[in-house]
């Protein structure tokens, strides 16, 4: 079994806004444990059934490298025009809202658009570009909330549509047609006229089901911990790749800090978070994701912040 290493550094801007109402506590009041107002994380969800609006803009790059390949495998990659090291650029825009409806029950809705494109010749030929969207949501339930501990659960059901542009197969077919035209003495353009561009674009559709369980603990007015366990199921079907299902588990752990609790009024917050993602079927890929975020934290109206995320993982070939 051969493995590759994937690492990514993403610069992410996170904006969260809340609109207090007379019949609903402000978002800050609803997420306070032990006098600590928790700073939300992009990797680990908070178990509070409170009113939230948020937007995430993710910009970054991903680096992929094959390791442990034999000389024959390297030769096959070279014939396909694919490098052992590939770089991708990515963009993601996501909107999420959560609205309380009755006694610890809230409804979540989310919309996410994404694009991933090869930035090196090998990545462009082997992967090309992926782009698409995901939309859905579901209920969120507050199981328990005391002065120091909050436990909540939820379920998201999302539908996604994706498109993959892969020029490699089309270029290989074009080269083969040109060679055939040259061997038969025909003009080169006659071979290109017969190339099928249907291989260039593949459409996929996916259904995602993600039940989750989360807990937050307030230790002091300036620090708290939040953790989340999630199971993810997906059922995907592509025009050429066929239909398949996947199962994975994700575990996240985060630390939330508020600097204004240390004396002087300084409305800044800090996030440190980690998430483990493990595929249970197929190649059983494994990813470790890390987050460092700093935020301006107005406890009554909104949070504006910048987060950096890193990812390291193993991908079975």
């Amino acid at each position: 079994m051969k493995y590759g290493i994937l690492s990514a550094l993403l610069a992410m801007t996170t904006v969260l806004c809340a609109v207090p109402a007379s019949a609903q506590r402000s978002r800050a009041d609803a997420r306070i444990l032990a006098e600590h107002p928790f700073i939300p994380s992009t990797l680990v969800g908070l178990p509070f059934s409170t009113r939230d609006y948020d937007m995430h803009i993710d910009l970054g790059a991903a680096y992929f490298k094959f390791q442990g390949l034999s000389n024959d495998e390297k030769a096959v990659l070279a014939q396909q025009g694919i490098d052992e090291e590939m770089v991708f650029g990515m963009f993601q825009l996501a909107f999420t809202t959560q609205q309380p409806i009755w006694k610890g029950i809230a409804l979540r809705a989310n919309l996410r658009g994404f694009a991933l494109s090869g930035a090196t010749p090998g990545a462009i030929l082997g992967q090309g570009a992926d782009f698409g969207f995901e939309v859905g949501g579901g209920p969120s339930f507050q199981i328990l909330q005391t002065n120091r501990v909050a436990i909540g659960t939820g379920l998201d059901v999302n539908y996604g549509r994706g498109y993959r542009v892969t020029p490699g197969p089309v270029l290989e077919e074009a080269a083969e047609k040109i060679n055939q035209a040259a061997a038969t003495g025909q003009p080169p353009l006659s071979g290109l006229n017969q190339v099928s561009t249907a291989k260039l674009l593949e459409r996929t559709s996916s259904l995602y089901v993600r039940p989750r369980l989360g807990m937050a603990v307030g230790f002091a007015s300036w620090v708290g911990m939040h953790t989340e366990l999630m199971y993810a199921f997906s059922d995907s079907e592509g025009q050429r790749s066929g239909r398949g299902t996947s199962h994975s588990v994700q575990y996240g752990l985060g630390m939330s800090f508020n600097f204004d609790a240390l004396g002087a009024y300084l409305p800044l917050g800090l996030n440190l978070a980690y998430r483990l993602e493990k595929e249970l079927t197929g190649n059983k890929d494994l990813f470790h994701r890390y987050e460092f975020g700093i935020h301006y934290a107005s406890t009554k109206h909104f949070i504006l912040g910048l987060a950096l995320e890193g990812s390291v993982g193993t991908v079975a070939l």
Side-chain angles (χ1 to χ4, degrees), residues 160-174:
R161 175 66 64 88
Y163 299 87
R164 171 170 293 184
V165 182
T166 311
V170 177
L171 294 178
E172 292 176 6
E173 183 180 353

PDB file of all heavy atoms in Angstrom, residues 160-174:
ATOM      1  N   GLY A 160     -24.971  17.929  -2.156  1.00  0.00           N
ATOM      2  CA  GLY A 160     -23.885  18.610  -2.846  1.00  0.00           C
ATOM      3  C   GLY A 160     -23.847  18.260  -4.319  1.00  0.00           C
ATOM      4  O   GLY A 160     -24.195  17.145  -4.723  1.00  0.00           O
ATOM      5  N   ARG A 161     -23.437  19.225  -5.117  1.00  0.00           N
ATOM      6  CA  ARG A 161     -23.219  19.009  -6.540  1.00  0.00           C
ATOM      7  C   ARG A 161     -21.817  19.497  -6.879  1.00  0.00           C
ATOM      8  O   ARG A 161     -21.433  20.612  -6.503  1.00  0.00           O
ATOM      9  CB  ARG A 161     -24.269  19.778  -7.358  1.00  0.00           C
ATOM     10  CG  ARG A 161     -24.084  19.738  -8.862  1.00  0.00           C
ATOM     11  CD  ARG A 161     -24.266  18.353  -9.448  1.00  0.00           C
ATOM     12  NE  ARG A 161     -25.614  17.852  -9.272  1.00  0.00           N
ATOM     13  CZ  ARG A 161     -26.610  18.074 -10.140  1.00  0.00           C
ATOM     14  NH1 ARG A 161     -26.406  18.808 -11.212  1.00  0.00           N
ATOM     15  NH2 ARG A 161     -27.806  17.558  -9.919  1.00  0.00           N
ATOM     16  N   GLY A 162     -21.047  18.658  -7.544  1.00  0.00           N
ATOM     17  CA  GLY A 162     -19.683  19.012  -7.871  1.00  0.00           C
ATOM     18  C   GLY A 162     -19.367  18.775  -9.335  1.00  0.00           C
ATOM     19  O   GLY A 162     -20.031  17.976 -10.017  1.00  0.00           O
ATOM     20  N   TYR A 163     -18.353  19.456  -9.818  1.00  0.00           N
ATOM     21  CA  TYR A 163     -17.908  19.327 -11.203  1.00  0.00           C
ATOM     22  C   TYR A 163     -16.386  19.202 -11.193  1.00  0.00           C
ATOM     23  O   TYR A 163     -15.698  19.987 -10.536  1.00  0.00           O
ATOM     24  CB  TYR A 163     -18.334  20.530 -12.032  1.00  0.00           C
ATOM     25  CG  TYR A 163     -19.834  20.706 -12.104  1.00  0.00           C
ATOM     26  CD1 TYR A 163     -20.508  21.438 -11.118  1.00  0.00           C
ATOM     27  CD2 TYR A 163     -20.565  20.125 -13.127  1.00  0.00           C
ATOM     28  CE1 TYR A 163     -21.888  21.587 -11.170  1.00  0.00           C
ATOM     29  CE2 TYR A 163     -21.948  20.273 -13.181  1.00  0.00           C
ATOM     30  CZ  TYR A 163     -22.596  21.008 -12.201  1.00  0.00           C
ATOM     31  OH  TYR A 163     -23.962  21.145 -12.244  1.00  0.00           O
ATOM     32  N   ARG A 164     -15.883  18.236 -11.936  1.00  0.00           N
ATOM     33  CA  ARG A 164     -14.436  18.030 -12.020  1.00  0.00           C
ATOM     34  C   ARG A 164     -13.999  18.193 -13.468  1.00  0.00           C
ATOM     35  O   ARG A 164     -14.504  17.517 -14.361  1.00  0.00           O
ATOM     36  CB  ARG A 164     -14.043  16.648 -11.513  1.00  0.00           C
ATOM     37  CG  ARG A 164     -12.584  16.287 -11.776  1.00  0.00           C
ATOM     38  CD  ARG A 164     -12.174  15.022 -11.056  1.00  0.00           C
ATOM     39  NE  ARG A 164     -12.168  15.234  -9.606  1.00  0.00           N
ATOM     40  CZ  ARG A 164     -11.775  14.302  -8.740  1.00  0.00           C
ATOM     41  NH1 ARG A 164     -11.404  13.110  -9.162  1.00  0.00           N
ATOM     42  NH2 ARG A 164     -11.786  14.568  -7.457  1.00  0.00           N
ATOM     43  N   VAL A 165     -13.051  19.090 -13.672  1.00  0.00           N
ATOM     44  CA  VAL A 165     -12.464  19.313 -14.991  1.00  0.00           C
ATOM     45  C   VAL A 165     -11.092  18.653 -15.005  1.00  0.00           C
ATOM     46  O   VAL A 165     -10.199  19.046 -14.246  1.00  0.00           O
ATOM     47  CB  VAL A 165     -12.339  20.823 -15.297  1.00  0.00           C
ATOM     48  CG1 VAL A 165     -11.766  21.030 -16.693  1.00  0.00           C
ATOM     49  CG2 VAL A 165     -13.694  21.503 -15.168  1.00  0.00           C
ATOM     50  N   THR A 166     -10.923  17.641 -15.846  1.00  0.00           N
ATOM     51  CA  THR A 166      -9.669  16.886 -15.903  1.00  0.00           C
ATOM     52  C   THR A 166      -9.159  16.853 -17.337  1.00  0.00           C
ATOM     53  O   THR A 166      -9.660  16.065 -18.155  1.00  0.00           O
ATOM     54  CB  THR A 166      -9.861  15.451 -15.389  1.00  0.00           C
ATOM     55  OG1 THR A 166     -10.553  15.488 -14.143  1.00  0.00           O
ATOM     56  CG2 THR A 166      -8.518  14.762 -15.188  1.00  0.00           C
ATOM     57  N   PRO A 167      -8.187  17.688 -17.684  1.00  0.00           N
ATOM     58  CA  PRO A 167      -7.713  17.722 -19.072  1.00  0.00           C
ATOM     59  C   PRO A 167      -6.824  16.551 -19.451  1.00  0.00           C
ATOM     60  O   PRO A 167      -6.623  16.288 -20.641  1.00  0.00           O
ATOM     61  CB  PRO A 167      -6.937  19.044 -19.129  1.00  0.00           C
ATOM     62  CG  PRO A 167      -6.489  19.277 -17.726  1.00  0.00           C
ATOM     63  CD  PRO A 167      -7.570  18.710 -16.839  1.00  0.00           C
ATOM     64  N   GLY A 168      -6.269  15.821 -18.466  1.00  0.00           N
ATOM     65  CA  GLY A 168      -5.334  14.742 -18.774  1.00  0.00           C
ATOM     66  C   GLY A 168      -5.854  13.726 -19.770  1.00  0.00           C
ATOM     67  O   GLY A 168      -5.209  13.461 -20.800  1.00  0.00           O
ATOM     68  N   PRO A 169      -7.023  13.088 -19.529  1.00  0.00           N
ATOM     69  CA  PRO A 169      -7.529  12.089 -20.481  1.00  0.00           C
ATOM     70  C   PRO A 169      -7.773  12.639 -21.874  1.00  0.00           C
ATOM     71  O   PRO A 169      -7.554  11.959 -22.879  1.00  0.00           O
ATOM     72  CB  PRO A 169      -8.851  11.630 -19.830  1.00  0.00           C
ATOM     73  CG  PRO A 169      -8.668  11.912 -18.382  1.00  0.00           C
ATOM     74  CD  PRO A 169      -7.852  13.160 -18.321  1.00  0.00           C
ATOM     75  N   VAL A 170      -8.235  13.899 -21.965  1.00  0.00           N
ATOM     76  CA  VAL A 170      -8.484  14.495 -23.272  1.00  0.00           C
ATOM     77  C   VAL A 170      -7.172  14.718 -24.018  1.00  0.00           C
ATOM     78  O   VAL A 170      -7.073  14.461 -25.227  1.00  0.00           O
ATOM     79  CB  VAL A 170      -9.258  15.818 -23.109  1.00  0.00           C
ATOM     80  CG1 VAL A 170      -9.452  16.496 -24.463  1.00  0.00           C
ATOM     81  CG2 VAL A 170     -10.595  15.565 -22.444  1.00  0.00           C
ATOM     82  N   LEU A 171      -6.146  15.186 -23.307  1.00  0.00           N
ATOM     83  CA  LEU A 171      -4.850  15.410 -23.949  1.00  0.00           C
ATOM     84  C   LEU A 171      -4.227  14.091 -24.406  1.00  0.00           C
ATOM     85  O   LEU A 171      -3.612  14.021 -25.475  1.00  0.00           O
ATOM     86  CB  LEU A 171      -3.917  16.135 -22.975  1.00  0.00           C
ATOM     87  CG  LEU A 171      -4.331  17.562 -22.597  1.00  0.00           C
ATOM     88  CD1 LEU A 171      -3.354  18.145 -21.596  1.00  0.00           C
ATOM     89  CD2 LEU A 171      -4.412  18.437 -23.836  1.00  0.00           C
ATOM     90  N   GLU A 172      -4.387  13.038 -23.603  1.00  0.00           N
ATOM     91  CA  GLU A 172      -3.862  11.727 -23.994  1.00  0.00           C
ATOM     92  C   GLU A 172      -4.566  11.217 -25.246  1.00  0.00           C
ATOM     93  O   GLU A 172      -3.925  10.678 -26.160  1.00  0.00           O
ATOM     94  CB  GLU A 172      -4.043  10.734 -22.849  1.00  0.00           C
ATOM     95  CG  GLU A 172      -3.172  11.027 -21.635  1.00  0.00           C
ATOM     96  CD  GLU A 172      -3.467  10.080 -20.492  1.00  0.00           C
ATOM     97  OE1 GLU A 172      -4.268   9.137 -20.684  1.00  0.00           O
ATOM     98  OE2 GLU A 172      -2.885  10.272 -19.405  1.00  0.00           O
ATOM     99  N   GLU A 173      -5.875  11.378 -25.299  1.00  0.00           N
ATOM    100  CA  GLU A 173      -6.615  10.945 -26.478  1.00  0.00           C
ATOM    101  C   GLU A 173      -6.223  11.769 -27.699  1.00  0.00           C
ATOM    102  O   GLU A 173      -6.083  11.238 -28.809  1.00  0.00           O
ATOM    103  CB  GLU A 173      -8.117  11.057 -26.231  1.00  0.00           C
ATOM    104  CG  GLU A 173      -8.956  10.543 -27.392  1.00  0.00           C
ATOM    105  CD  GLU A 173     -10.445  10.659 -27.129  1.00  0.00           C
ATOM    106  OE1 GLU A 173     -10.821  11.018 -25.989  1.00  0.00           O
ATOM    107  OE2 GLU A 173     -11.230  10.417 -28.055  1.00  0.00           O
ATOM    108  N   ALA A 174      -6.026  13.082 -27.497  1.00  0.00           N
ATOM    109  CA  ALA A 174      -5.623  13.935 -28.614  1.00  0.00           C
ATOM    110  C   ALA A 174      -4.260  13.512 -29.148  1.00  0.00           C
ATOM    111  O   ALA A 174      -4.054  13.450 -30.375  1.00  0.00           O
ATOM    112  CB  ALA A 174      -5.595  15.396 -28.168  1.00  0.00           C
TER     113      ALA A 174
END
